[in-house]
Amino acid sequence: MTSKNIGKQATSEEAIQSAASSTSHATLLPKRVHRVVQNFSLVWLDANLDENDLDFKRSLEHLQQLVSSIETFTDADECVNFLVAVEEEQVFMIVSGTLGQYVVPVIEDIPKLKAIYVFCDDKSKHEKWTNKIKKINGVFTEMGPIYKALHDDQANLDRSMIPITFSRLDPLFMYTQLLKEAILEIEDDDVKSIKEFAEFCRNQSDVSKVSIKKLETEYRHHSPIWWYTGPYFIYSMLNCGLRLMDADIIIKMHFFIRHLHNHMAQLYHQQTIKNEKYQKHFRVFRGQGLSKENFDKMKKTKGGLMSFNNFLSTSLNREVSLGFASDSNTDVRILFIMDINPDICEKSQISFVDLQKESFFGHGEAEILFSTHTIFRIDRIQPIKHADIKELYEVHLTLAGNDDQDMQQLTKYRRSELGNVKGWSRLGQILIDIGEPAKAKPLYEFLLAKESDGVNGAYYHDRLAKTYEDMGEYSKALSSYERSLEIRKVALLPNHPSLASSYNNIGEVYHNMGEYSKALPSYERSIEIKKVALPPNHPNLASSYNN
């Protein structure tokens, strides 16, 4: 497909100056409220894009099979402003040769912009200025090669953006196993969950409608591994959700996480019985990019633990993995060398699966997939000498199990803190504990939509209030705490400790608002209840008197 099929390229000097300057051109498609559902998005800038052009529509549909979020622009200034404002996801860009020669020098240093594909009629003309710009990944006169380059680049980027946490440095690491348990122990109606997930994707407006329909009608026809490894949005959306701890995505995809985990556990037992090489120590590899921030954390954690907080793809083939590391367009390139003790896998229920006959493609690079939130100990880090590649390292890891002493101590302490809280409530409390109340808020809203009354409803209102309080939205916090108190007054005995907690929470909000005269009666009522419900020397009484 040539560029003429998409829209005639501007070639005159007048057209070039007009397109590159600040004009009244509108963006091609109406702009949506931007929501990140993948680790990356695609921007397409061309002054002559025509939304009514049939070839453009076909190209856009094909691109949406690769990237859910696509923004199209005909105005250079609007495009630049959009790129500068990007915060969460990484960005790929298709730009016309005409606009590219003016816009690319302005935007090439934007950190979130990872790769640029120049689309034009005259390849030799535009190669003259593109050769000096590192982020340009080629000059193209047809869309087909762009699809291929974009596919490879987004796969490398997704691999590099697998969520990773480090012991002693990342608060979330302390909850690694508890987080995994919280997600996996939730069991809802699968048919309803699939329908709700499809509707969620449809509401994102730019997720491929073809892929959504396929998911709705064919989900049960294929295995979870087939969907996870296929050329759809499943892997990337899950990776993004777990990286950002996006409660909305995790809520909608929890059924898939559970299905994939259970399917892997079943295959793990079948494969390890049949294949002797997985019954003794073996080694796998993983090549990926790493941000400088995460690399610095890794060096500081040497000798400690790290967790891959998604399903982990590895390979038995060192050279294939080294190739992935070398191709990464990131600050640091890493070849992980992972030593696996099958006894640890068995004792700690760490599933791994040989994907040769299980993946969408039916073959692979001797790929081994590990279950989510697998933990390793960092043994050593050393540079790899390479003539053409700088910042290339090999990192030796050893699989860590649940009986690892460091891991046991962390998990035991945090488990006691969380008490009997399970499922979504546990996930919400974890997010509050690590200082992410805005991410916990959708979870409690979700739970309240299912059960807003009774003891559970009171607890959900209480926790929702806590998210508002931590975000400084005191009037909303007060309203939710008062609703929780109303329910508890009906459901519990007059001197139940939970009522004391409710009065204390209301007092704290008034105190934070500077309304001390209103805070005092709530504190006093809390103390009255605690005097009856608790022993005289209980520490909670001391805390209440202090308030």
Side-chain angles (χ1 to χ4, degrees):
M1 183 185 296
T2 66
S3 58
K4 294 178 181 178
N5 291 328
I6 302 301
K8 192 173 181 181
Q9 301 286 322
T11 55
S12 68
E13 184 66 23
E14 292 81 3
I16 292 174
Q17 295 300 329
S18 175
S21 66
S22 178
T23 70
S24 61
H25 286 172
T27 52
L28 177 65
L29 301 177
K31 295 297 112 179
R32 57 181 173 79
V33 176
H34 191 67
R35 177 190 173 89
V36 180
V37 294
Q38 288 186 312
N39 286 323
F40 46 80
S41 62
L42 175 68
V43 167
W44 191 350
L45 171 63
D46 189 326
N48 293 292
L49 287 178
D50 179 4
E51 65 179 327
N52 296 314
D53 182 82
L54 183 59
D55 286 320
F56 166 73
K57 291 180 178 179
R58 289 172 179 166
S59 296
L60 201 61
E61 288 176 0
H62 198 129
L63 289 167
Q64 283 179 327
Q65 303 301 311
L66 301 172
V67 182
S68 294
S69 178
I70 300 176
E71 301 286 352
T72 54
F73 295 89
T74 55
D75 180 83
D77 288 336
E78 286 190 11
C79 182
V80 171
N81 290 337
F82 174 84
L83 290 170
V84 170
V86 169
E87 294 181 355
E88 295 290 354
E89 78 272 35
Q90 310 296 313
V91 182
F92 301 113
M93 182 178 190
I94 300 173
V95 62
S96 67
T98 300
L99 283 180
Q101 57 190 313
Y102 292 93
V103 172
V104 172
V106 176
I107 62 174
E108 63 174 315
D109 290 330
I110 294 176
K112 295 293 184 180
L113 181 61
K114 292 302 178 183
I116 303 169
Y117 316 94
V118 177
F119 186 44
C120 63
D121 281 331
D122 190 340
K123 184 174 182 177
S124 59
K125 171 186 175 182
H126 292 290
E127 282 181 335
K128 294 177 182 177
W129 64 269
T130 60
N131 286 336
K132 299 178 182 179
I133 299 175
K134 184 179 178 181
K135 287 186 178 179
I136 289 181
N137 203 13
V139 179
F140 305 88
T141 57
E142 296 181 350
M143 288 298 294
I146 291 181
Y147 302 146
K148 175 66 168 63
L150 179 60
H151 174 271
D152 292 344
D153 286 343
Q154 64 96 356
N156 281 331
L157 182 61
D158 251 336
R159 189 178 295 109
S160 299
M161 296 187 72
I162 184 172
I164 299 173
T165 51
F166 300 92
S167 63
R168 302 192 297 268
L169 296 177
D170 293 314
L172 187 59
F173 181 87
M174 295 183 288
Y175 298 95
T176 296
Q177 290 304 306
L178 301 175
L179 176 64
K180 178 179 178 179
E181 291 172 10
I183 295 172
L184 293 177
E185 69 189 5
I186 299 164
E187 292 195 21
D188 284 337
D189 184 320
D190 287 344
V191 174
K192 182 181 178 183
S193 295
I194 294 167
K195 182 178 179 181
E196 290 178 348
F197 177 51
E199 191 61 30
F200 170 77
C201 294
R202 198 172 281 114
N203 289 339
Q204 305 315 309
S205 77
D206 52 7
V207 178
S208 167
K209 302 300 184 289
V210 175
S211 295
I212 296 172
K213 187 65 177 177
K214 188 176 183 67
L215 179 79
E216 278 186 302
T217 57
E218 299 182 23
Y219 181 77
R220 289 296 185 185
H221 298 172
H222 307 286
S223 73
I225 287 177
W226 187 92
W227 286 106
Y228 184 75
T229 57
Y232 306 109
F233 58 87
I234 299 290
Y235 168 78
S236 188
M237 186 180 290
L238 178 58
N239 199 14
C240 178
L242 292 173
R243 179 177 65 86
L244 298 177
M245 289 303 295
D246 186 310
D248 288 327
I249 295 177
I250 294 174
I251 287 171
K252 298 306 180 186
M253 295 197 75
H254 84 273
F255 77 96
F256 181 79
I257 298 172
R258 178 166 46 83
H259 288 176
L260 181 55
H261 174 83
N262 292 342
H263 183 220
M264 288 184 61
Q266 182 182 13
L267 287 174
Y268 162 73
H269 290 294
Q270 293 173 359
Q271 290 184 356
T272 51
I273 289 173
K274 295 178 181 179
N275 197 327
E276 290 185 1
K277 73 178 179 181
Y278 298 131
Q279 297 174 14
K280 53 188 177 182
H281 285 63
F282 64 98
R283 175 172 284 183
V284 293
F285 306 89
R286 175 179 172 84
Q288 67 167 83
L290 210 61
S291 67
K292 189 177 186 304
E293 178 187 6
N294 270 343
F295 184 60
D296 288 341
K297 285 183 178 181
M298 183 182 293
K299 288 190 291 185
K300 292 176 182 177
T301 315
K302 183 180 175 183
L305 301 172
M306 65 179 289
S307 173
F308 291 89
N309 299 331
N310 196 353
F311 295 90
L312 177 65
S313 175
T314 67
S315 176
L316 295 169
N317 189 319
R318 177 190 170 96
E319 294 307 312
V320 167
S321 297
L322 183 58
F324 285 140
S326 301
D327 291 341
S328 176
N329 185 23
T330 52
D331 298 333
V332 185
R333 297 163 178 85
I334 301 293
L335 174 66
F336 287 111
I337 301 172
M338 305 168 169
D339 289 320
I340 310 300
N341 182 342
D343 291 337
I344 290 178
C345 294
E346 186 66 28
K347 290 177 183 177
S348 301
Q349 297 182 321
I350 302 170
S351 301
F352 62 85
V353 175
D354 187 329
L355 295 187
Q356 187 169 2
K357 296 180 181 179
E358 305 297 336
S359 73
F360 173 91
F361 298 101
H363 58 82
E365 304 89 4
E367 187 174 2
I368 306 295
L369 183 67
F370 285 81
S371 56
T372 185
H373 293 76
T374 302
I375 298 172
F376 294 86
R377 187 168 294 281
I378 305 170
D379 295 327
R380 64 182 188 276
I381 303 169
Q382 56 194 52
I384 300 175
K385 293 182 179 179
H386 195 289
D388 302 317
I389 302 173
K390 297 179 180 179
E391 298 293 325
L392 178 62
Y393 296 85
E394 63 179 34
V395 178
H396 292 258
L397 306 177
T398 301
L399 182 68
N402 295 340
D403 58 354
D404 181 275
Q405 188 173 357
D406 290 349
M407 199 65 220
Q408 276 189 335
Q409 290 176 348
L410 282 172
T411 303
K412 183 179 180 180
Y413 174 69
R414 296 302 172 184
R415 194 185 299 280
S416 66
E417 278 192 328
L418 292 170
N420 295 323
V421 178
K422 302 288 184 183
W424 293 127
S425 294
R426 174 184 284 186
L427 178 56
Q429 189 58 53
I430 289 172
L431 289 169
I432 291 174
D433 288 347
I434 65 172
E436 295 284 1
K439 294 180 179 180
K441 176 175 165 285
L443 277 168
Y444 292 114
E445 291 173 334
F446 166 75
L447 289 168
L448 281 167
K450 300 173 71 174
E451 185 177 3
S452 60
D453 295 316
V455 175
N456 287 340
Y459 175 76
Y460 301 151
H461 280 293
D462 182 271
R463 293 297 81 194
L464 178 62
K466 177 62 175 172
T467 68
Y468 284 130
E469 184 180 3
D470 287 355
M471 291 188 290
E473 299 182 28
Y474 297 126
S475 60
K476 291 181 179 180
L478 187 62
S479 177
S480 291
Y481 277 137
E482 288 175 340
R483 178 58 184 144
S484 177
L485 176 60
E486 290 172 8
I487 297 171
R488 284 172 171 169
K489 281 181 176 180
V490 175
L492 302 174
L493 295 173
N495 292 318
H496 194 283
S498 291
L499 286 170
S501 175
S502 289
Y503 281 112
N504 187 76
N505 290 338
I506 291 171
E508 283 188 353
V509 174
Y510 277 129
H511 182 272
N512 290 333
M513 295 171 71
E515 298 187 33
Y516 306 120
S517 62
K518 292 182 179 179
L520 184 59
S522 293
Y523 282 141
E524 289 175 338
R525 181 62 183 131
S526 176
I527 291 174
E528 290 173 7
I529 296 172
K530 287 179 179 179
K531 282 181 177 179
V532 176
L534 300 175
N537 295 322
H538 196 282
N540 281 355
L541 272 172
S543 174
S544 292
Y545 280 118
N546 182 65
N547 289 337

